[in-house]
């Protein structure tokens, strides 16, 4: 039975401590952050307790004290998390750490170290508060007299579940609001404190005074095992202290289960454009819609005879005239029709004007707007200029390095620097509309060596806005020329979204027919849908550079050699009018184990070589990997010689070096080191051999970084799961 993601690496003890130095340093900072958070929270609660003892009991004072304690914890967490979330994640809570561990966002070693650091930090914070304040420590978590242990357990469970779920959805899930996650997390703790911490009970009876009111605590509202444990160590434990371990722990498990269900069933599909920022996706103008409905109803009412309509209009006009002359009472005969006059105050707008007036006015306005739009479009065409960015409008895509991102729309152009006259060269200006032919459109493949782009995993079925954002980032920040699709999404219209996003971002696409690993025939439907989309989408042949069969069908023995070669030939025939090359995405080893797979090599147009030296039998570190890269690369070059279709084309590498491993992504040599430094070193290695890659026969070698983000495949991304760069990445695109 396969292990959950967080537990898989436990099968490989040697890899547990690969990043131990960083984990240890992070746990030290987590200890400091936890102490900082609880010091202010405990201090505020202790001060409030002192006020309770010193001030007379009144309902107003009790309410203020409740809010004071809740605000102490909520605001302290908000500020502390905002300070530390880019350093350690700002967890400060063993139960939050547990839920992040369960969903795979926190490694096992760091999880254990964090829990220890948070517990010790809570003890230190409680000890400091006791040492600096008078009287006994009064911040312990205790049950109210009328609350039994079962009730307290479930109160803590549900409150902690809410807090953990907020952390998962606002902080673990990456979106534009993630930097503001500490606000939501702090407010959640504040709300939980108000709900579970205490309630003011005012006991009134005929023989009791108003001073008989008191503050009753439900559970003390831990929502954090460390928060309950620290004061208990400094002062004393209750015989039901276990509630504050089991309750929050169950809440953490419940939150993890809810999050897992949301992710498994792709919750983003339910409301995919909720976070969109495009004003065009807002609801239509309600007034405009009502006017359009009126126009339609007026047109529908015009189906009778001309004589009848004329008579009806005459009757309405005469009625309006009579009413405006002051005839407001009693029935009257107008135009031979029985009709009751109405007060002027009740006249509707349509009855004050001929019924043809409003449609005529609307038609006039529509015509005027259309003429204005045509004139505006003609002016823009005459200028033929790049996008004008309004300085008062924020860019739709922001970058940590303050790069000049723009909101790219299909009817604009983008500029990346010095101009070029072929696509997708760096500096190429996307036209307003696709050209009539492909003549002169594509750059020569011999110019596409060194870094050309990213592999991009699509099993999450990203929305159109997400695709545009990421593709634009690849194009503008990293000067990528292509995205290589990896994985599959079977959502209807998804490949249209891929193509449209690529056109708007000004980037090319290496499309993929994904076989998968389940042995099913789903790939056949994917093939047909993709090829159909390539024919129906007007941008397709201008952005799709190649079609791949993958990933690694030879290695996985998905089809026989002859069947795979036949699939390639049939796809080439179906795409011949679009001039899109077809290839197979696989390893050198896969071809070698099939005797060179000559029939497949003869069928494909370009070579899409998987270069993953980390899995070689003699792998060690990325800095020593060049002989492994050169060995596989030479095999492709040597076996492509004499075949014009290869020597006139380019060899494309899908490659990378992982920063961590898990079952299914494990080295074949225990000396192979997987960490962030080696991932960085591998790409530096390719940059250092740029000249060699440029001079390889067949048009040079261009390479894709596999992958764009760790959220797509753990360990391979340039971006980490938190959305930040794992290391500086400025690959060479020419030399």
């Amino acid at each position: 039975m396969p292990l959950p993601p967080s537990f898989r690496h436990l099968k490989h003890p040697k890899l547990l401590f690969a990043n131990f130095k960083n984990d240890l340093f992070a746990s030290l900072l987590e200890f400091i952050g936890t102490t900082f958070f609880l010091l202010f929270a405990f201090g505020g609660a202790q001060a409030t307790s002192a006020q309770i003892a010193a001030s007379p009991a009144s309902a107003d004072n009790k309410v203020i004290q409740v809010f004071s304690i809740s605000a102490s914890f909520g605001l302290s967490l908000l500020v502390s998390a905002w300070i530390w979330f880019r350093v350690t994640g700002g967890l400060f809570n063993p139960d939050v750490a547990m839920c992040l561990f369960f969903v795979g966002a926190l490694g096992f070693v760091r999880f254990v170290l964090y829990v220890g650091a948070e517990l010790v930090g809570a003890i230190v914070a409680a000890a400091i508060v006791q040492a600096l304040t008078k009287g006994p420590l009064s911040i312990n978590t205790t049950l109210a007299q009328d609350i039994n242990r079962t009730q307290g357990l479930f109160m803590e469970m549900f409150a902690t579940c809410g807090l953990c779920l907020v952390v998962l959805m606002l902080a673990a899930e990456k979106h534009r609001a993630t930097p503001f996650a500490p606000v939501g997390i702090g407010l959640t703790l504040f709300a939980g404190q108000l709900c579970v911490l205490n309630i003011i009970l005012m006991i009134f009876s005929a023989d009791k005074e108003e001073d008989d009111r008191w503050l009753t605590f439900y559970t003390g509202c831990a929502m954090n095992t460390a928060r309950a444990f620290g004061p208990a160590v400094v002062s004393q434990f209750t015989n039901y202290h276990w509630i504050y371990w089991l309750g929050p722990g169950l809440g953490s498990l419940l939150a993890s289960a809810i999050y897992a269900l949301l992710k498994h069933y792709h919750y983003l599909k339910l409301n995919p454009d909720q976070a969109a920022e495009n004003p065009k996706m807002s609801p239509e103008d309600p007034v405009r819609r009502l006017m359009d409905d009126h126009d339609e109803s007026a047109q529908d009412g015009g189906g009778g005879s001309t004589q009848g309509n004329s008579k009806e209009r005459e009757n309405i006009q005469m009625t309006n005239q009579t009413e405006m002359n002051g005839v407001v009472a009693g029935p009257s005969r107008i135009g031979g029709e029985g009709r009751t006059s109405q007060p002027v105050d009740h006249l509707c707008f349509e009855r004050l004007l001929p019924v043809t007036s409003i449609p005529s006015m609307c038609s006039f306005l529509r015509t005027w707007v259309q003429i204005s739009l045509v004139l505006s479009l003609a002016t823009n065409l005459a200028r033929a200029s790049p996008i004008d960015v309004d300085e008062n409008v924020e860019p739709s895509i922001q970058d940590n390095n303050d790069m000049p991102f723009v909101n790219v729309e299909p009817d604009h152009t983008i500029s990346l620097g010095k101009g070029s006259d072929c696509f997708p060269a760096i500096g190429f200006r996307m036209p307003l509309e696709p050209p009539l032919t492909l003549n002169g459109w594509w750059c020569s493949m011999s110019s596409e060596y060194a870094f050309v782009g990213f592999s991009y995993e699509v099993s999450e079925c990203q929305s159109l806005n997400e695709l545009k954002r990421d593709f634009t980032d690849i194009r503008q920040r990293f000067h990528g020329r292509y995205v290589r699709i990896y994985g599959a999404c079977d959502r209807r219209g998804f490949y249209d979204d891929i193509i449209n996003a690529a056109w708007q971002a000004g980037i090319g696409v290496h499309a993929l027919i994904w076989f998968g690993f389940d042995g099913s025939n789903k790939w056949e439907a994917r093939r047909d849908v993709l090829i159909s989309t390539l024919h129906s989408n007007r941008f397709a042949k201008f952005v799709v550079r190649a079609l791949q069969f993958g990933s690694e069908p030879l290695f996985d023995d998905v089809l026989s050699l002859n069947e795979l070669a036949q699939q390639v030939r049939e796809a080439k025939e179906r795409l011949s009018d679009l001039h899109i090359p077809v290839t197979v995405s696989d390893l050198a080893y896969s071809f070698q184990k099939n005797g060179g797979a000559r029939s497949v090599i003869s069928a494909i147009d370009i070579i899409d070589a998987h270069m993953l030296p980390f899995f070689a039998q003699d792998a060690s570190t990325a800095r020593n990997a060049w002989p492994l890269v050169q060995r596989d690369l030479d095999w492709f070059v040597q076996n492509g010689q004499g075949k014009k279709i290869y020597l006139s084309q380019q060899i494309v590498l899908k490659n990378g070096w992982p920063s961590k491993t898990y079952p299914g992504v494990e080295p074949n040599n225990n000396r192979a080191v997987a960490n962030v430094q080696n991932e960085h070193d591998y790409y530096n290695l390719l940059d250092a051999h740029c000249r060699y890659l440029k001079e390889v026969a067949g048009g040079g070698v261009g390479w894709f970084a596999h992958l764009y983000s760790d959220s797509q495949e753990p360990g391979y991304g340039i971006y980490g799961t938190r959305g930040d760069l794992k290391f500086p990445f400025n690959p060479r695109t020419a030399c």
Side-chain angles (χ1 to χ4, degrees), residues 522-596:
K522 291 181 180 179
W523 66 270
E524 295 178 349
R526 292 168 182 157
R527 173 200 61 198
D528 295 339
V529 169
L530 175 54
I531 292 178
S532 175
T533 303
L534 294 178
H535 280 93
S536 63
N537 190 299
R538 66 193 184 109
F539 300 116
K541 66 180 180 180
F542 299 101
V543 296
V544 178
R545 182 58 144 172
L547 173 65
Q548 310 167 58
F549 283 88
S551 175
E552 300 172 359
L554 292 171
F555 182 84
D556 295 327
D557 297 318
V558 176
L559 299 172
S560 68
L561 294 180
N562 290 334
E563 288 174 330
L564 182 57
Q566 182 61 26
Q567 286 294 326
V568 172
R569 287 190 290 268
E570 290 178 0
K572 289 168 60 176
E573 182 177 354
R574 296 172 68 179
L575 296 174
S576 59
D577 58 328
L578 302 179
H579 305 286
I580 296 176
V582 180
T583 186
V584 170
S585 178
D586 222 311
L587 299 158
Y589 169 78
S590 304
F591 287 92
Q592 293 165 5
K593 80 166 189 173
N594 286 282

Side-chain angles (χ1 to χ4, degrees), residues 211-249:
D211 288 344
D212 286 333
R213 306 168 184 173
W214 67 85
L215 192 66
T216 298
F217 290 82
Y218 277 166
T219 71
C221 191
M223 298 173 67
N224 182 339
T225 299
R227 179 261 178 273
F229 181 71
V233 170
V234 174
S235 57
Q236 63 179 359
F237 286 91
T238 60
N239 59 4
Y240 50 80
H241 181 75
W242 56 269
I243 288 175
Y244 302 105
W245 290 75
L246 182 59

Side-chain angles (χ1 to χ4, degrees), residues 588 592 610-636 638 653 655 657 681-682 685-686 688-689 692-693:
Q592 293 165 5
H610 286 203
M611 190 66 64
L612 301 170
F614 175 75
F615 299 100
Q617 295 286 350
D618 46 353
S620 57
T621 63
R623 292 184 179 183
N624 298 322
W626 180 249
L628 309 180
V629 174
Q630 190 173 16
R631 180 176 63 198
D632 282 0
L633 185 57
D634 286 347
W635 187 91
F636 281 114
Q638 292 167 7
L653 296 182
N655 75 131
W657 190 286
D681 288 345
Y682 181 72
L685 180 75
L686 296 179
H689 291 84
Y692 177 91
L693 298 176

Side-chain angles (χ1 to χ4, degrees), residues 44 65 196 200 207 298 305 323 410 485 498 532 554 623 637 715 718:
Q65 289 156 2
V196 183
I200 297 176
D207 56 346
S305 66
E323 290 170 341
I485 303 305
I498 290 279
S532 175
L554 292 171
R623 292 184 179 183
V637 173
I718 301 301

Side-chain angles (χ1 to χ4, degrees), residues 483-531:
V483 288
R484 175 187 174 273
I485 303 305
Y486 183 72
C489 169
D490 296 324
R491 170 168 63 83
R492 179 177 297 178
F494 182 71
Y495 248 110
D496 275 312
D497 288 348
I498 290 279
I499 294 167
N500 294 337
W503 174 265
Q504 295 182 38
I507 198 167
V509 175
H510 282 233
L512 176 68
I513 298 171
W514 178 254
F515 284 101
F517 306 110
D518 56 2
S520 69
N521 292 327
K522 291 181 180 179
W523 66 270
E524 295 178 349
R526 292 168 182 157
R527 173 200 61 198
D528 295 339
V529 169
L530 175 54
I531 292 178

Side-chain angles (χ1 to χ4, degrees), residues 169-183:
M169 296 304 295
L170 294 186
E173 284 287 282
K174 303 308 171 190
H175 42 75
R176 290 187 180 275
T178 296
F180 301 98
V183 177

Side-chain angles (χ1 to χ4, degrees), residues 45 48-49 52 62-74 138-144 147 155-156 159 189-200 215-223 227 244:
T48 302
S49 299
I52 292 175
K62 301 301 183 184
V63 172
I64 293 173
Q65 289 156 2
V66 169
F67 274 87
S68 177
I69 294 174
S70 301
S72 296
F73 279 89
S138 56
I139 54 176
N140 288 58
T141 50
T142 57
L143 294 178
I147 298 296
M155 286 182 183
E156 287 292 332
L189 182 60
F190 174 75
Q193 294 279 332
L194 287 178
C195 178
V196 183
L197 171 67
N198 48 53
I199 183 171
I200 297 176
L215 192 66
T216 298
F217 290 82
Y218 277 166
T219 71
C221 191
M223 298 173 67
R227 179 261 178 273
Y244 302 105

